[in-house]
Structures are given as structure tokens and as C-alpha cells.
Amino acid sequence: MNKTTPLFTASEVEERTGIAANTLRQWERRYGIPNPNRAANGYRLYSQNDLECIQFIQAHIENGVTVSRAVELLKSKQAPEETEPQQDEHTKVVQELVDVCLKADQNRAAQIINYASISFTVEDVLLKIIQPTLARMGELWAQGHITVAEEHHATAFLRGRIQILLDLLGQPLGGPRVIVACAPGEYHEIGALMISVLLRKRGVQVHYIGANTPLEDLMHYAHTHKGDAILLSVGLASDTQVLREHAEDLRELDIPVIMGGALLNAEPTLAEEFGGTYLGTDTLQAVDHMIQMLEGKA
């Protein structure tokens, strides 16, 4: 028996990874990954290789990478014979940051982030330094090279640095007011924090609520504080039943409800089912589109 031997049913893969069987079928149709065998009864059977590919993609999208980009990275990883492009400065910084995170050297990690903040734009620090570092740490965890504790330690540090960026920008005195939160059941808040920084940098008054926010409380807060829009991060762990139950309530709000996150990147049509509007996988384009929407230009 080897890593290509068909072993796991779709339900077993779903239990091991938390990725729904219909999402796996969607990835298979769109990207050709995973590539399960078919049993005599027509059921899909997944190999250990398939499972590792799914975990690779899962680790990346949980840290804000789109599914299509995660698949590109996977295919690149699977083709080592191809000549890799010369490393750019961002890649070098990411590699050093990953190394020091693995050593739990927070002093050095802070120096690297400070260097990046001086050398690059805020957008690049978030999307070309912190996000790839988180994705790499998630990949190492999925492959069994580091423990959950080590991955959490690095994530907590980097989350804190994003919070510092948000605080340093300060709250704009004018501009539209956006309430940012994570859906019920969703504790991965890195993506929501990143987009909060990018919105505040563009003059948006961001009220950042955080992880696992009850929808009734979120709607009440938006009403009480006169929000112009709600931005809801819907990750893979989000409680989809609760979202569906409150979809009509969200639709009836007199402000737009904008949704993003790993689950919607995998299945964009779910945003409408949840009562929101999905703005796509490109973070910077999504921010610009959101601002245009708030200004009445979209």
C-alpha cells in the first residue's frame, strides 16, 4: 500500500479535514484537485496523497489565500523540476520570518516586521509578508512538521502585529462607518483584521468587533452605532445553519452586508444564501469596490 492507494470515502475525508464533500467535488471540477478514484459503485475514494493536497489547500485558505492561488502553489510544489524564479525581497523576508517564528524568537520577529513596515507599503506588509508567513506556518502544521501550539504561537504574534497596525492608523474623523466581525463559530480573524487595516488606511471608520459574533448582537450594534455597512468574515468553521436562519434579517437591514472569507472563496454562491454580497477573492479590489459602494459609485 502506498500514498496513491484509494482508501478514504468522501465522508471520511470530510470528517478528517472539515471540508464538505460538495466543496471537494467543486474543487475537483474547477481545478482537477483532488483527483479521487471511483469505486465500482461510482463512489469517490481518496488516497493519502489526495488528503495531503486537501490539507495543503485548507491551510492556505484559512490564512486568507484564495483557493485558486492555493492550487497554483500546490501544483508548483508538485513540480520541483521547474526552475524557480529568483527570490524577491518579499520572499526573503517571509522565509526569515518563518524561520524565527519556528524558533519562537519574538524579538527577532518583531525586528523583521519593523523592517518590513519601514521598507514596504502597509498593503505589502499585510499581503506579501504576514499573509504568506501565516500560510506557510499553516502548511507546516498540516504536514505534521510543527505542532498546533507552535502554529498558534506564531499566529498570535502576527495577529498582534496587525492589531498594532490598525491602532497606529487611528480612527478617521469622517468617512463611512463599517462594522467588521467574524461570523458565528468563526475564530480565525486574521483576514477580518487585515481588511480592517486596509479600510481604515483609506479613510473608513472601522468598528472591529472580532471573532465568533452573534448575528443579533452584530445587527444591534450596527443600528446603535449608525453603521453604513457590515463586513462579515465567513470562514470554514462558521455556523452555516445560523447564517441561513438570519439571512432574511440581514437582507432587511437598510445597510449593505458585505461578506468574504475562506468559505465564500471556496463557494461564492453561499453569500446570497446567507443574505449578503460577495465581493471576490482579490483583497485590494474588494476594498476598493467596497469603498465605491459606500460612496454610491458602484
Side-chain angles (χ1 to χ4, degrees), residues 24-278:
L24 295 176
R25 291 194 296 272
Q26 195 173 68
W27 290 359
E28 183 183 341
R29 288 194 302 271
R30 290 183 182 178
Y31 311 112
I33 293 175
N35 186 25
N37 285 270
R38 294 295 185 107
N41 58 9
Y43 290 163
R44 289 171 170 81
L45 287 176
Y46 298 82
S47 67
Q48 181 64 32
N49 269 347
D50 290 323
L51 191 62
E52 290 178 3
C53 288
I54 293 165
Q55 290 171 330
F56 180 96
I57 295 171
Q58 180 186 26
H60 280 71
I61 62 178
E62 283 184 345
N63 286 302
V65 179
T66 65
V67 177
S68 58
R69 177 57 180 155
V71 170
E72 289 177 9
L73 292 170
L74 176 63
K75 290 180 176 178
S76 174
K77 179 173 175 285
Q78 291 174 333
E81 69 278 1
E82 296 180 6
T83 302
E84 295 184 359
Q86 185 176 7
Q87 291 182 346
D88 61 17
E89 188 64 21
H90 296 120
T91 303
K92 293 176 182 177
V93 173
V94 169
Q95 289 186 345
E96 185 175 3
L97 187 55
V98 169
D99 289 341
V100 298
C101 284
L102 291 174
K103 297 173 183 175
D105 186 349
Q106 286 198 350
N107 289 333
R108 179 57 184 150
Q111 292 174 348
I112 293 171
I113 294 293
N114 291 341
Y115 163 79
S117 299
I118 295 171
S119 304
F120 310 124
T121 64
V122 170
E123 289 81 0
D124 280 357
V125 171
L126 292 175
L127 302 178
K128 295 184 179 181
I129 303 298
I130 293 179
Q131 188 179 81
T133 300
L134 287 166
R136 178 57 181 155
M137 296 299 293
E139 177 187 336
L140 290 170
W141 166 78
Q143 294 172 345
H145 297 310
I146 63 174
T147 65
V148 170
E150 289 169 317
E151 192 269 342
H152 282 189
H153 184 261
T155 299
F157 168 75
L158 292 170
R159 184 219 174 277
R161 301 304 297 195
I162 301 171
Q163 182 69 60
I164 289 172
L165 285 174
L166 183 65
D167 294 341
L168 286 175
L169 286 169
Q171 188 72 288
L173 297 178
R177 187 177 290 112
V178 175
I179 317 302
V180 181
C182 297
E186 182 53 56
Y187 290 89
H188 288 89
E189 55 178 327
I190 295 291
L193 262 177
M194 284 186 177
I195 207 164
S196 295
V197 172
L198 297 174
L199 285 169
R200 189 171 281 185
K201 185 172 181 286
R202 286 161 173 76
V204 174
Q205 297 183 59
V206 174
H207 288 225
Y208 183 71
I209 307 301
N212 186 34
T213 305
L215 293 181
E216 301 97 327
D217 294 353
L218 177 61
M219 290 185 284
H220 177 74
Y221 186 97
H223 174 75
T224 301
H225 294 275
K226 297 180 172 57
D228 295 303
I230 289 173
L231 175 60
L232 191 63
S233 177
V234 184
L236 295 174
S238 299
D239 190 329
T240 56
Q241 181 178 346
V242 170
L243 285 164
R244 288 189 172 93
E245 289 173 354
H246 288 84
E248 197 58 38
D249 297 329
L250 293 173
R251 291 190 191 99
E252 291 177 356
L253 292 175
D254 58 358
I255 60 175
V257 179
I258 302 161
M259 295 184 178
L263 180 60
L264 300 184
N265 290 342
E267 299 184 61
T269 56
L270 288 176
E272 187 175 352
E273 290 184 34
F274 298 156
T277 301
Y278 176 64

Side-chain angles (χ1 to χ4, degrees), residues 273-289:
E273 290 184 34
F274 298 156
T277 301
Y278 176 64
L279 290 184
T281 57
D282 186 296
T283 302
L284 294 179
Q285 287 183 7
V287 168
D288 290 340
H289 192 174

